[in-house]
Amino acid sequence: NIIPKKRCIVVGGGYIGLECSSIIADKGLDVTIIISGDILVPSIFTKELSNLFEEQMKIKGIKIIKNRRCSFILHKLGTVVGVQLDHSADQVHADLVLVGIGSIPNTKLFSNQLVLQINTSEPGIWVDGSLQTSIQGVYAIGDVASPPFFMFGKAQLEHYNHARNSAKHAVNAIMGDTSVYQFHPFIFCTAFGVVWKFWGDSTASHNFIFGDLNLTSRLIALWTWEGKVLGVLMTKSTSEESQMIEKITKEQIMIDLKAIKVAKTVEDVFVVLSNGLNKFKLQQEQQQQ
């Protein structure tokens, strides 16, 4: 159905919009991507990472419209003809519109009927480690729930594994299980011939990027807080490297920040990460003795 089309608008610059714009441009369509902010994948990317993919978009001929919102999808006799921006007279014309803007849970129903504690910094419903809300006996799961995952507070997650696992955990909690719900975020995306993967939490304020700032070579980015590795993004990772990163971000391993600050290459970074992981394993063994 895409092939007969000539012009496509992708609304949203998250990893879905990034991936789809790449695929559709490869089909030969004239692609315009509209984002509400000024960087791509804002939940993860820094400005530097966004710039790398913006350069690839320019090479592919993809146009980027920043800091604008799509207010209406325009149509004529049931056929899409474009979008209207910001409730203004500005229009972008196309014969195909793809919307990938994520979702915001509708919590108004619950706030009107029940005295639930709605998290003010994230759109989800506040829950504790058992996924129980502030009202005893009432549980929230999936996208609407805001569990205490991260060091920087609760976060709402859109992930199919989270939906499945939180449902299972809530049932077990109702049946008497007292364990704390844990979920380790993982995202992967293929765009412009590059596979990038992200593990963990990107809300930490300290970010380091290593490797050549281009998408033709390997690159790794770390998000840390007080020496703990909370999140990692990497391109072209091996299976062994991926397993190590998953372990490090899940356990929030402490690393030598002085060594990280002088690291030059991806290989240097993995030496530091490996040292931190080995130290963590040694501490675990000592605690078990």
Side-chain angles (χ1 to χ4, degrees):
N1 293 333
I2 290 177
I3 299 299
K5 309 297 183 180
K6 296 184 181 300
R7 293 177 296 178
C8 175
I9 294 170
V10 177
V11 183
Y15 66 93
I16 296 297
L18 188 68
E19 200 165 52
C20 289
S21 63
S22 172
I23 294 170
I24 295 171
D26 284 341
K27 298 292 184 181
L29 278 71
D30 181 3
V31 178
T32 298
I33 185 168
I34 301 171
I35 61 177
S36 59
D38 60 356
I39 65 172
L40 299 166
V41 197
S43 61
I44 298 175
F45 282 6
T46 62
K47 181 62 175 174
E48 293 84 356
L49 291 171
S50 180
N51 287 343
L52 295 179
F53 284 92
E54 288 181 41
E55 286 300 320
Q56 291 299 310
M57 286 183 164
K58 291 176 183 177
I59 293 171
K60 288 279 188 178
I62 298 172
K63 294 178 284 293
I64 307 173
I65 298 177
K66 297 182 178 181
N67 298 305
R68 303 297 298 270
R69 290 180 180 272
C70 172
S71 50
F72 294 103
I73 295 178
L74 306 173
H75 60 91
K76 185 176 182 180
L77 300 176
T79 301
V80 170
V81 295
V83 301
Q84 182 179 358
L85 300 178
D86 298 318
H87 298 279
S88 68
D90 297 338
Q91 298 180 358
V92 182
H93 298 287
D95 50 7
L96 177 67
V97 177
L98 187 149
V99 181
I101 56 175
S103 64
I104 299 176
N106 184 357
T107 58
K108 292 181 180 179
L109 170 65
F110 307 105
S111 61
N112 289 336
Q113 295 188 22
L114 297 170
V115 184
L116 298 177
Q117 184 177 350
I118 307 299
N119 192 344
T120 57
S121 62
E122 295 285 346
I125 297 173
W126 183 93
V127 293
D128 62 16
S130 69
L131 301 180
Q132 185 171 231
T133 68
S134 56
I135 305 299
Q136 187 174 3
V138 179
Y139 293 76
I141 61 173
D143 291 3
V144 75
S146 185
F149 290 131
F150 303 125
M151 182 175 291
F152 293 92
K154 300 172 187 296
Q156 177 250 344
L157 283 172
E158 301 172 43
H159 200 290
Y160 69 94
N161 272 336
H162 166 53
R164 294 171 177 173
N165 294 343
S166 62
K168 181 179 179 180
H169 188 90
V171 170
N172 289 337
I174 292 169
M175 299 298 291
D177 186 355
T178 59
S179 62
V180 175
Y181 179 61
Q182 298 289 336
F183 179 76
H184 190 58
F186 169 70
I187 294 171
F188 72 92
C189 175
T190 303
F192 308 106
V194 177
V195 178
W196 61 266
K197 301 176 183 178
F198 177 80
W199 299 260
D201 180 3
S202 62
T203 56
S205 59
H206 301 294
N207 173 253
F208 305 92
I209 302 176
F210 304 91
D212 296 330
L213 286 180
N214 61 69
L215 296 178
T216 60
S217 60
R218 282 157 46 91
L219 177 148
I220 188 169
L222 308 181
W223 283 258
T224 69
W225 182 257
E226 296 182 347
K228 293 183 178 181
V229 179
L230 305 188
V232 175
L233 179 144
M234 188 171 181
T235 63
K236 303 182 180 181
S237 62
T238 67
S239 59
E240 292 80 8
E241 289 168 342
S242 295
Q243 291 174 9
M244 177 188 292
I245 293 170
E246 181 180 11
K247 176 71 173 178
I248 286 170
T249 53
K250 187 174 183 179
E251 300 292 346
Q252 298 183 346
I253 300 296
M254 292 283 295
I255 59 171
D256 185 345
L257 286 180
K258 291 182 179 179
I260 276 292
K261 290 177 180 179
V262 298
K264 301 295 183 183
T265 66
V266 172
E267 289 70 27
D268 292 341
V269 174
F270 270 100
V271 171
V272 178
L273 294 178
S274 180
N275 289 340
L277 183 58
N278 290 335
K279 185 176 180 180
F280 172 78
K281 291 178 178 178
L282 180 61
Q283 290 172 342
Q284 280 191 318
E285 292 174 358
Q286 291 174 345
Q287 291 174 358
Q288 293 173 356
Q289 292 178 353

